[in-house]
Amino acid sequence: SIVIETGTVALTNEKLLRRYSIDILGVLPSVEDYEDLASGLDSESGRRALVQDWMNDPRFEQRLVYLLGERWHTRIDEFLVFYLEYPPLSSDSRNEYPFERAVGEEPLRLMANIIANNRPWTEVVTADYTFANELLAQIWPINYPGGTGWKRSTYTDDRPYAGVLSTNGLWWRYYSTLSNYNRARVAAITRLLICEDYTTRTISFSEENGVDSVEDVEDIENALRNNPYCMGCHSAIDPIAAALFGFWPANEFQIDELHNYHADREALGGDLLGVEPAWFGDPVSNLRELGRHIALDRRFSECAVESFASLLWRRPVTSSDLNQLEVLHDQFEADFLATQSLLTEIFLTQSYVAGNLE
């Protein structure tokens, strides 16, 4: 074997085939795969052909659901609303797991389908549809084409469409309390879509910076709007939060509040937060415009490259990866943000085709 990076060694064709099969199809290679395909991985063209061929396999879309779930974390075992609160489901305890699984997979299914059909990654925040199965169609305001399984669907409660930003599944996972005013949701948006994690920033409460005496909601809101130490983050966070008030619940534990969009509350964001909706200084009038502004932000495509590289390399990206990430991003842009094209290039990187030395 040839050492291609410090601390790594090029995988044998057999090990690389195994890695491709698990990452793309979600299964181990068959004996026939080893016999027929391993030798073709000697060249980059052979590896590219295999990757592109396997991405056409129906199992690829299902595998993407699991891969995306590792980053988006929407599949959890308990939401603020339980299956027992829905009459169509409450009579059978066997509905608990399918309910939780369906809610958590809604945004993942939408993204997985975009990738499986090699659509531009921008559709993640601009698509005018969602994905639902027959269970979600029973309990949410969704127009479902009928039958069974996950299918392209649309909401019927007049919510603006902005891809995953319009899905109940995302906001049931990243919920907001009445007094949080969607700020926690903004933290999720920026972390997942532009790789900007506000929750990791240091906050200091002291007499020196003037925020040592916050004792109630009113004190906190005054500090967030007027204290420069708070405004450093909240001048960006609050205008984005103001664009999400159609999802703001009057009671975060009540099913009608959570599964319906409330268009009549859209204007509350500006009133309650004292700012107009915007994406980092660019005004937006609704959720749909917010999605479009995110799609045009260079950080959105850069974050996609970083996120998928980290998922497939099975390690965090570091400063030593910057040149490689820049090359990947340039190609991603040249391919009009086609997601399969990005994944293909990541599958061909030295960081992917190498294993750690033991």
Side-chain angles (χ1 to χ4, degrees):
S1 297
I2 302 173
V3 175
I4 56 176
E5 286 185 358
T6 302
T8 63
V9 63
L11 296 175
T12 63
N13 287 357
E14 289 74 19
K15 288 184 178 180
L16 183 57
L17 183 70
R18 176 189 173 96
R19 188 172 192 183
Y20 279 145
S21 185
I22 292 174
D23 280 341
I24 301 174
L25 304 178
V27 296
L28 293 170
S30 66
V31 173
E32 291 76 16
D33 288 335
Y34 283 117
E35 293 175 347
D36 299 338
L37 302 175
S39 62
L41 302 183
D42 286 329
S43 66
E44 181 176 310
S45 61
R47 294 191 290 272
R48 183 183 297 275
L50 175 70
V51 166
Q52 293 176 339
D53 180 53
W54 277 359
M55 283 183 179
N56 292 319
D57 190 297
R59 291 172 291 182
F60 176 52
E61 186 169 349
Q62 176 62 41
R63 171 60 187 144
L64 288 168
V65 173
Y66 289 94
L67 188 68
L68 291 162
E70 294 180 29
R71 172 165 170 76
W72 287 72
H73 299 160
T74 55
R75 295 191 303 173
I76 57 177
D77 58 6
E78 188 173 285
F79 294 94
L80 295 180
V81 169
F82 305 111
Y83 81 100
L84 292 169
E85 298 175 69
Y86 285 103
L89 308 179
S90 60
S91 61
D92 190 342
S93 62
R94 291 174 296 179
N95 286 323
E96 180 179 7
Y97 176 73
F99 165 75
E100 292 160 353
R101 188 66 172 265
V103 172
E105 285 194 1
E106 182 199 7
L108 306 179
R109 293 282 176 177
L110 173 58
M111 291 186 287
N113 187 264
I114 289 170
I115 298 172
N117 288 282
N118 204 23
R119 302 294 300 162
W121 185 242
T122 49
E123 287 195 16
V124 166
V125 289
T126 61
D128 60 356
Y129 57 90
T130 187
F131 266 72
N133 63 5
E134 66 277 11
L135 186 150
L136 296 182
Q138 291 184 71
I139 62 175
W140 287 353
I142 283 179
N143 182 20
Y144 180 71
T148 60
W150 287 94
K151 298 179 182 179
R152 183 165 167 160
S153 307
T154 54
Y155 281 97
T156 59
D157 57 0
D158 297 322
R159 67 184 64 196
Y161 269 101
V164 295
L165 301 180
S166 300
T167 62
N168 284 349
L170 183 65
W171 299 135
W172 279 32
R173 168 61 178 86
Y174 297 104
Y175 60 86
S176 175
T177 62
L178 194 62
S179 60
N180 180 255
Y181 296 142
N182 294 316
R183 291 173 175 127
R185 289 172 165 168
V186 175
I189 288 175
T190 57
R191 177 178 61 83
L192 293 168
L193 296 176
I194 62 171
C195 294
E196 178 70 52
D197 191 351
Y198 283 98
T199 63
T200 62
R201 296 192 178 186
T202 302
I203 303 174
S204 175
F205 293 93
S206 66
E207 290 187 22
E208 182 179 345
N209 62 35
V211 291
D212 64 310
S213 60
V214 290
E215 297 176 353
D216 55 30
V217 172
E218 184 176 355
D219 285 340
I220 293 172
E221 287 300 318
N222 286 333
L224 296 182
R225 297 177 189 178
N226 300 302
N227 188 287
Y229 289 89
C230 298
M231 291 172 64
C233 289
H234 282 271
S235 60
I237 291 173
D238 286 7
I240 303 172
L244 302 176
F245 267 74
F247 291 104
W248 185 62
N251 181 339
E252 60 261 35
F253 298 96
Q254 210 277 333
I255 58 174
D256 290 334
E257 284 292 311
L258 287 182
H259 71 215
N260 287 315
Y261 184 80
H262 307 282
D264 57 320
R265 297 177 191 167
E266 290 177 348
L268 287 176
D271 295 336
L272 292 173
L273 293 172
V275 295
E276 292 302 312
W279 174 256
F280 290 95
D282 292 331
V284 299
S285 61
N286 55 38
L287 184 67
R288 188 167 181 81
E289 281 194 15
L290 178 67
R292 290 173 176 171
H293 275 72
I294 294 173
L296 293 173
D297 192 323
R298 180 180 173 88
R299 292 173 296 176
F300 174 69
S301 55
E302 290 177 335
C303 184
V305 172
E306 179 180 329
S307 301
F308 281 114
S310 180
L311 282 171
L312 294 173
W313 291 345
R314 292 293 162 189
R315 61 172 176 78
V317 298
T318 67
S319 57
S320 63
D321 297 312
L322 292 180
N323 289 338
Q324 192 168 203
L325 292 175
E326 185 176 351
V327 171
L328 288 169
H329 186 263
D330 288 346
Q331 187 62 52
F332 191 33
E333 284 192 320
D335 291 331
F336 303 101
L337 304 192
T339 42
Q340 282 193 29
S341 299
L342 170 62
L343 296 184
T344 298
E345 296 306 318
I346 295 174
F347 281 130
L348 299 176
T349 58
Q350 289 190 348
S351 294
Y352 187 87
V353 301
N356 292 327
L357 286 171
E358 296 182 356

